[in-house]
Amino acid sequence: MRLIIASNNAHKVREIRQIVGRYFSDMSTLREAGLEIDVLEDGETFQENAVKKAEEVLAAAPGFDAALADDSGLMVDALGGAPGVHSARYAGEGHNDAENNRKLMADMRDVPDGQRSCRFASAIALARRGKATLTVIGYAEGTLLREARGQNGFGYDPYFLYPPLGKTFAELSAEEKNAVSHRSRSLALLEQALEAERA
């Protein structure tokens, strides 16, 4: 089965390939497939955005059997679930990870340490020709730190403390993160859904 990954984000693509690569005979990114498509992520939930992205990419990629799309972000309880679906552009359109993190730290400045619970969410949609689109969502629970720790990862990873390991996501190796991340959990749920179809 030929799969197109609806992303050019090197970090996401590497994680997806490492976790589910064995389930597909061929996996290509948008760039590798020579496809230029910019799906407007205007959904109110991660699931809505993932489904829209997967289905639009599959429709634009006739040489592929399926398209996998991910929409993920950080949800902070003290901020009512923000940044949420706006995680990538929390500081505004065109802003980068550092600016998003600066805004998040500013918004959380007065929140006590015991009230900084948060979670990463990852919704994954697998659109397939002639079949219903599968959608799953996985979470990783954590605590938001006040200072960055670690050099790995991307986005909000340096501020996201994963209590079971006592490290931020940016302090974990790729293998460690893949074992516990929100994306690994959603990909595991996707595998379960695919296995259930075959049963």
Side-chain angles (χ1 to χ4, degrees):
M1 177 182 285
R2 298 193 70 215
L3 175 73
I4 183 167
I5 302 171
S7 176
N8 284 316
N9 182 311
H11 302 285
K12 283 187 181 182
V13 169
R14 182 170 62 246
E15 197 169 0
I16 290 168
R17 280 181 162 151
Q18 287 174 339
I19 295 171
V20 298
R22 63 187 181 278
Y23 294 95
F24 300 95
S25 59
D26 176 63
M27 301 174 74
S28 300
T29 63
L30 295 174
R31 189 175 295 113
E32 289 166 348
L35 187 62
E36 287 191 29
I37 181 171
D38 189 15
V39 178
L40 178 63
E41 297 180 29
D42 55 358
E44 295 183 3
T45 66
F46 295 117
Q47 294 96 319
E48 287 178 13
N49 283 335
V51 168
K52 183 178 182 184
K53 204 184 314 184
E55 293 181 348
E56 288 192 20
V57 166
L58 185 60
F64 290 85
D65 306 299
L68 186 150
D70 156 275
D71 192 41
S72 56
L74 181 69
M75 304 170 72
V76 180
D77 292 326
L79 299 177
V85 294
H86 305 293
S87 290
R89 51 193 182 278
Y90 190 47
E93 292 293 341
H95 287 69
N96 60 22
D97 289 348
E99 291 161 332
N100 287 336
N101 279 317
R102 273 196 292 273
K103 174 172 170 51
L104 180 61
M105 288 299 103
D107 290 348
M108 290 291 289
R109 183 180 297 117
D110 299 325
V111 178
D113 289 348
Q115 298 174 26
R116 298 173 72 88
S117 57
C118 58
R119 66 203 47 80
F120 272 123
S122 167
I124 287 181
L126 181 68
R128 303 160 299 168
R129 301 198 186 281
K131 291 185 178 181
T133 298
L134 288 175
T135 315
V136 294
I137 187 164
Y139 300 95
E141 300 287 336
T143 301
L144 196 67
L145 297 181
R146 296 181 183 276
E147 294 183 357
R149 282 172 32 186
Q151 302 299 317
N152 302 326
F154 60 102
Y156 301 101
D157 284 357
Y159 293 91
F160 182 84
L161 178 71
Y162 183 66
L165 296 179
K167 297 179 180 180
T168 68
F169 268 9
E171 293 177 300
L172 301 180
S173 68
E175 292 73 23
E176 287 175 319
K177 184 181 175 186
N178 285 352
V180 300
S181 76
H182 48 304
R183 194 166 296 111
S184 71
R185 291 177 182 176
S186 58
L187 287 167
L189 291 171
L190 178 63
E191 291 178 45
Q192 292 175 19
L194 289 169
E195 289 299 323
E197 283 188 342
R198 297 191 185 104

